Amino acid sequence: MGASPALAGKKYSRGASDTEIVVGNFVPYSGPASAYGVVGKVAEAYFKALNEAGGINGRKVRFISYDDAYSPSKAVEQTRKLVENDGILVLFGTVGTPSNTAIMKYMNQKKVPHLLLASGGTRFGEDPKANPYTMPFIPSYNSEGRAYAALIRQKWPDAKIAVLVQNDEYGKDIYKGVKDGLGDKVSMIVAEAPYDLTDPTVDSQMVKLKQSGADVFLNLSTPKFAAQATRKLGELNWRPVHIINNVAAQVGAVLKPAGLENAQGAITATYLKDPTDPALADDPEVKEFKAWMAKNMPDGDLNNALYVFGYATSAALAHILKEAGDNLTGENLMKVAASLKDYKAPMLLDGITMNTSPTDYFPIEDFQMQVFRGDRWVREGDIIRSRSVQ
């Protein structure tokens, strides 16, 4: 109507302009999960470096990150501040199932993109119709469970399975994936032993599971209890196939305290490259990541997978913002995010790409299995496809 030809193609929501894109974030920089603060620090460094290289389509990213201390009520407070005071275009990379659950309804009411969440809660991607502005980055816990089921069906079709599972939303989420993946073979599960976060140990559960005669042990537990269970395997001299979920697959925090000798042959699923893996020493992406770390975060720890995670998610957001071009509205951002086609964020394992559609809000649902040998995880076998929405 009155727009000049130069401006006719440009559309902006609050938080975007000809010169700037405002990206909001919260992570626990303090409190019980403060280790995850690394994710916010990596994103800050990523966008700073990106701005120095010219930004995104000529626009600089203003990255605003607050501490939610892993508290849902604090997350709500910081999110309102970001949306209503700071006027962000997008909320990105927010950590944790409790905090993201607390703000999901608000973000969708406000129609502000709530993108690439750092949580595998299945709820964040399972209903795009009800929550069209929320999309995770982490593969859902449900799809991880399905990947383990697919592996068992493929390699040990006659196995008897024993399951140690955390009695909360996380445990129920990943365990449902296992059962969904086993399908008509769910009777392979011969014993299950839940535990509560308040339990001092899982020793009694492990004794019960060994007595079942199972030859596959599914360790669906968080770090403290996964370490106890792994140590108990050794004490009981029980040698089943040991599958341990990704959240507890850390060598330093779980397997060393459990005794590396008790973890030999354990299996877990992953989707990101490990920059310390000797087999990836000449991988171009790994080389680029190491160079980026040396320049932008020289004090960072290459053994900490959260640096890789923060880097990969930040690159994925930059890709979506770039693809949105001059139509930087919340609506268009979600349209772009929901039409990813074989996009490979840097540091995703080769053969794993991001794919979405208006009815599939889980960008990553494929996994590489790895086996613990000596003092490290070693990749083994082909990529396992566990996409739930086709």
Side-chain angles (χ1 to χ4, degrees):
M1 301 287 282
S4 68
L7 294 174
K10 295 184 179 181
K11 288 185 181 176
Y12 297 130
S13 287
R14 189 180 177 195
S17 69
D18 283 357
T19 58
E20 186 178 67
I21 298 167
V22 187
V23 174
N25 165 266
F26 64 72
V27 292
Y29 290 111
S30 66
S34 59
Y36 290 106
V38 163
V39 175
K41 290 172 184 169
V42 175
E44 183 179 20
Y46 188 92
F47 292 116
K48 182 173 181 280
L50 195 65
N51 287 341
E52 287 167 1
I56 296 173
N57 297 331
R59 298 173 179 90
K60 298 294 170 76
V61 174
R62 180 151 60 95
F63 181 71
I64 306 169
S65 182
Y66 294 135
D67 180 15
D68 80 322
Y70 212 67
S71 155
S73 59
K74 188 81 171 165
V76 169
E77 182 189 321
Q78 302 293 35
T79 300
R80 285 184 179 276
K81 189 175 168 187
L82 287 162
V83 171
E84 293 165 27
N85 297 357
D86 298 316
I88 59 171
L89 172 67
V90 54
L91 184 67
F92 152 76
T94 45
V95 167
T97 300
S99 289
N100 279 299
T101 299
I103 65 162
M104 180 162 64
K105 188 176 177 184
Y106 170 82
M107 293 303 295
N108 282 274
Q109 285 172 343
K110 290 289 183 182
K111 297 186 176 178
V112 174
H114 178 205
L115 263 181
L116 305 180
L117 284 57
S119 167
T122 304
R123 66 168 66 205
F124 300 123
E126 68 184 349
D127 195 350
K129 204 170 177 182
N131 299 296
Y133 282 82
T134 296
M135 181 182 286
F137 178 85
I138 291 182
S140 73
Y141 300 133
N142 186 278
S143 62
E144 184 184 348
R146 284 198 312 275
Y148 296 136
L151 180 73
I152 292 167
R153 289 188 67 146
Q154 177 191 322
K155 291 191 75 170
W156 305 285
D158 301 317
K160 293 177 182 172
I161 305 167
V163 185
L164 178 71
V165 60
Q166 189 158 298
N167 190 21
D168 66 355
E169 185 181 349
Y170 167 69
K172 288 171 182 149
D173 203 344
I174 191 167
Y175 193 22
K176 182 179 184 298
V178 171
K179 290 175 176 174
D180 289 349
L182 288 174
D184 59 358
K185 298 278 190 183
V186 77
S187 59
M188 292 169 76
I189 298 171
V190 295
E192 59 183 53
Y195 70 88
D196 292 311
L197 281 165
T198 51
D199 290 352
T201 76
V202 290
D203 285 1
S204 61
Q205 285 92 336
M206 292 298 292
V207 169
K208 174 192 166 185
L209 293 176
K210 183 191 177 184
Q211 287 169 348
S212 72
D215 45 19
V216 170
F217 169 50
L218 266 178
N219 192 349
L220 306 181
S221 44
T222 49
K224 171 186 166 185
F225 298 98
Q228 289 179 0
T230 303
R231 178 170 286 283
K232 199 66 181 172
L233 283 174
E235 289 174 8
L236 293 170
N237 198 27
W238 185 25
R239 297 279 181 255
V241 173
H242 179 195
I243 297 174
I244 185 168
N245 49 198
N246 181 272
V247 297
Q250 302 100 311
V251 177
V254 177
L255 303 186
K256 278 185 179 168
L260 294 183
E261 67 282 4
N262 298 320
Q264 297 305 309
I267 298 166
T268 194
T270 190
Y271 58 97
L272 291 168
K273 291 178 179 176
D274 173 1
T276 67
D277 183 349
L280 294 175
D282 294 322
D283 182 276
E285 285 182 358
V286 170
K287 282 183 168 178
E288 193 175 326
F289 172 72
K290 286 179 175 175
W292 183 91
M293 285 285 289
K295 182 180 178 185
N296 299 289
M297 303 194 83
D299 298 327
D301 179 8
L302 289 175
N303 289 298
N304 184 342
L306 291 173
Y307 283 89
V308 176
F309 176 81
Y311 178 84
T313 49
S314 298
L317 179 68
H319 171 78
I320 290 167
L321 290 168
K322 187 180 178 193
E323 290 294 300
D326 291 332
N327 185 352
L328 289 170
T329 60
E331 184 183 8
N332 189 53
L333 218 55
M334 292 312 302
K335 191 175 172 185
V336 172
S339 53
L340 296 173
K341 180 70 179 158
D342 291 330
Y343 166 64
K344 189 183 180 307
M347 295 301 282
L348 282 182
L349 280 163
D350 294 339
I352 295 179
T353 56
M354 298 175 70
N355 291 277
T356 52
S357 75
T359 57
D360 181 0
Y361 265 34
F362 293 115
I364 304 167
E365 288 196 88
D366 299 328
F367 294 89
Q368 169 72 58
M369 293 299 162
Q370 38 185 17
V371 180
F372 194 71
R373 302 197 190 287
D375 62 356
R376 66 178 306 110
W377 290 104
V378 179
R379 285 171 293 140
E380 196 167 281
D382 298 326
I383 301 289
I384 293 213
R385 313 287 176 192
S386 59
R387 188 160 288 276
S388 57
V389 184
Q390 300 300 331

